[in-house]
Amino acid sequence: MTLTTTVEHQHADGHTLRLTFAEPDGVVRGGLVVLHEEAEEVEEGLGLLLAGLAGEGWLTVTPHLDRDDLTQQDLLEATDATLSWLAERGVQADLVGVVGFDLGGTAALVVASNRRLGAAVSVGGQGVTGLPVLVEIAGRLTSPWLGMYGDAGDAAGGAEVEQLREAAATANVATNVVHYPGANHRFDADPDAAAEAWQRTLNWFDAHLR
């Protein structure tokens, strides 16, 4: 199995950011920044996720974030530092994407509406204190974005997903919002939805990062 490595990366302002990454065994197709609710400390599940994406040919890296007190500015600065690390390792800007899961899905949408990347994917997600409401920023997307959301069987949640779809459709980039009725924000209670979301994630990056 692909192993993960943790490093301290010093960026332009002199601050350091802890990064954990996984490298593909063969040719590097591009780079993926993974935003995840467990990124403050890399848990086993996140390590497996990094390794799984690396197994598809992506140099995959996650910044360690303070998820309890995360502002939009903190998120963007950490993402910029991570993108700088990828550039230093020879990954071209148009071959870089961002992907987030659960609360990281919200973070990925924020990044995709403030930075021009090759592609972005959000798998689950909900509003986070200190970050904009999703529907308010979806129309400002500057990166091709795929969002996949469950509604936990709640009709109001399903309506919110549809509102997000309508807002994203007004952006000037390719977007797609997929609604999984009955699935929760983590997709952990619906293996079929989780497997399909994983394949859609890979397909989105295959289509846009080339």
Side-chain angles (χ1 to χ4, degrees):
M1 186 184 76
T2 303
L3 300 177
T4 61
T5 303
T6 299
V7 296
E8 300 288 339
H9 174 63
Q10 184 170 3
H11 44 103
D13 62 5
H15 288 85
T16 59
L17 177 67
R18 180 169 293 182
L19 303 173
T20 295
F21 66 94
E23 297 181 282
D25 291 331
V27 176
V28 175
R29 301 173 58 193
L32 297 180
V33 177
V34 177
L35 302 173
H36 199 278
E37 65 168 338
E38 296 177 345
E40 185 179 0
E41 295 295 337
V42 175
E43 306 289 346
E44 180 181 1
L46 179 52
L48 291 173
L49 172 62
L50 294 173
L53 290 169
E56 298 293 329
W58 307 106
L59 174 56
T60 309
V61 57
T62 187
H64 292 232
L65 303 172
D66 182 359
R67 62 184 182 232
D68 295 324
D69 188 26
L70 184 65
T71 67
Q72 176 172 315
Q73 187 62 30
D74 293 336
L75 170 63
L76 294 176
E77 288 179 356
T79 301
D80 287 343
T82 309
L83 294 173
S84 174
W85 181 87
L86 284 170
E88 290 173 7
R89 296 180 71 89
V91 180
Q92 299 179 17
D94 59 348
L95 296 178
V96 173
V98 61
V99 57
F101 296 81
D102 196 18
L103 297 183
T106 298
L109 177 53
V110 172
V111 171
S113 63
N114 286 275
R115 298 292 184 266
R116 294 185 183 277
L117 303 173
V121 175
S122 296
V123 183
Q126 50 195 309
V128 181
T129 301
L131 296 179
V133 177
L134 303 188
V135 173
E136 294 179 357
I137 62 172
R140 304 199 301 268
L141 281 160
T142 53
S143 303
W145 176 72
L146 167 65
M148 293 173 283
Y149 297 92
D151 58 21
D154 177 46
E160 291 175 354
V161 175
E162 295 309 312
Q163 291 173 3
L164 182 58
R165 185 200 311 278
E166 293 174 3
T170 67
N172 293 322
V173 292
T175 66
N176 186 22
V177 174
V178 183
H179 178 198
Y180 291 92
N184 62 18
H185 292 299
R186 293 173 175 266
F187 288 76
D188 53 7
D190 191 334
D192 291 338
E196 182 180 318
W198 172 256
Q199 191 58 55
R200 284 181 179 271
T201 297
L202 299 180
N203 292 346
W204 190 260
F205 289 130
D206 286 344
H208 292 279
L209 301 183
R210 58 182 183 178

